[in-house]
Amino acid sequence: MKILGLDSSGLVASVAVVEDDALVAEYATNYKKTHSQTLLPMLEALAEMIELDMGTIDGIAIASGPGSFTGLRIGSATAKGLGLVLGKPLIEVPTLEGLAWNLWGSDRIVCPLMDARRNQVYTAAYEFLPQGEGFAMDTVISQNPKDIDIILEELTEIGRPVVFLGDGVPVYADTIREKCHVPYALAPAGSNRQRGASIAALGAVYLRQGKTVSAAGHKPEYLRKSQAEQESQRRQCS
């Protein structure tokens, strides 16, 4: 099974190919260029490097949200275009689940934090449960945009050690230190941001479970309205 993974949901742009249980290639950047400038050139460079015949992939895993509205649209359009041209199914991997998969097998609660601005984060919490020869990921707190204080209160109530990751960690590091009243750790570089490899690997799991959509049927999961839509709604109500 060969899966192409794409993630442009946040500051990182990442593409990867996973075949069976091996990561064949991964290309990620976290720099000052927009995803519209980087995602397709990265995919082309990766495909050339590993001599990838795009027709041989079994599915396209896409970080489906939440995340940056612009980033999600770029990733979605790229995945849909590839799926339509190649006739391949899309596998929608929630961005927060993909982030948590970076820490596969952790014995702590894994809490991704994506900065949603205005003291809010896109967040959820997961745990890994031994199952057969590996681990299954279980949802402890469902994904939602919420105030950083609220997710820290919820984690404190659970009362178990937690590890945080995501671009919201440096933004709210002081709040975490002050208000997280359970033992916690911060994931290190290499595992604390979005990775196409995790999207592809988790996409392979979901493909085996039959969790696919057609390219035409895919749409990002924003979780909340864009800032422009919120401002327009406020003007209409005033």
Side-chain angles (χ1 to χ4, degrees):
M1 183 181 293
K2 188 182 296 182
I3 305 295
L4 171 66
L6 304 172
D7 194 329
S8 59
S9 60
L11 298 175
V12 174
S14 184
V15 298
V17 173
V18 167
E19 186 169 7
D20 298 325
D21 292 323
L23 172 62
V24 179
E26 183 178 27
Y27 191 164
T29 61
N30 183 7
Y31 199 58
K32 301 175 183 178
K33 294 184 178 180
T34 64
H35 297 329
S36 61
Q37 295 174 291
T38 58
L39 197 62
L40 277 175
M42 288 166 57
L43 176 56
E44 290 170 358
L46 180 144
E48 181 179 358
M49 178 65 68
I50 63 174
E51 300 177 343
L52 175 65
D53 177 356
M54 294 294 289
T56 64
I57 64 175
D58 296 291
I60 302 163
I62 176 69
S64 60
S68 156
F69 286 86
T70 302
L72 288 175
R73 289 188 182 108
I74 291 168
S76 175
T78 302
K80 285 169 75 75
L82 289 170
L84 288 168
V85 169
L86 298 171
K88 303 295 182 178
L90 267 57
I91 309 143
E92 297 173 333
V93 179
T95 306
L96 296 168
E97 292 186 13
L99 264 169
W101 202 254
N102 291 357
L103 300 178
W104 184 92
S106 173
D107 60 355
R108 292 171 175 251
I109 297 290
V110 177
C111 181
L113 299 174
M114 296 178 67
D115 183 22
R117 303 183 185 277
R118 300 190 176 187
N119 210 51
Q120 285 204 326
V121 288
Y122 296 117
T123 188
Y126 305 94
E127 64 178 341
F128 292 94
L129 305 174
Q131 186 180 78
E133 297 180 3
F135 287 82
M137 187 167 68
D138 190 37
T139 300
V140 177
I141 298 173
S142 298
Q143 66 174 17
N144 264 306
K146 59 182 64 178
D147 190 280
I148 183 64
D149 294 339
I150 292 176
I151 184 63
L152 295 176
E153 289 173 3
E154 291 174 343
L155 291 168
T156 297
E157 288 176 4
I158 293 172
R160 291 173 52 191
V162 60
V163 56
F164 294 101
L165 72 164
D167 61 32
V169 172
V171 177
Y172 298 106
D174 289 341
T175 304
I176 292 171
R177 295 187 189 100
E178 179 185 353
K179 298 185 177 180
C180 185
H181 301 302
V182 293
Y184 71 87
L186 308 181
S191 59
N192 64 8
R193 295 292 188 275
Q194 287 91 330
R195 292 189 60 182
S198 291
I199 295 297
L202 190 50
V205 173
Y206 290 159
L207 180 60
R208 293 188 190 100
Q209 297 172 353
K211 297 179 180 179
T212 65
V213 297
S214 67
H218 165 68
K219 58 182 180 180
E221 186 174 8
Y222 297 114
L223 286 190
R224 72 178 188 184
K225 296 179 180 178
S226 70
Q227 188 62 36
E229 290 172 319
Q230 292 179 50
E231 292 294 340
S232 175
Q233 189 175 50
R234 277 195 287 269
R235 287 195 296 270
Q236 292 173 3
C237 294
S238 63

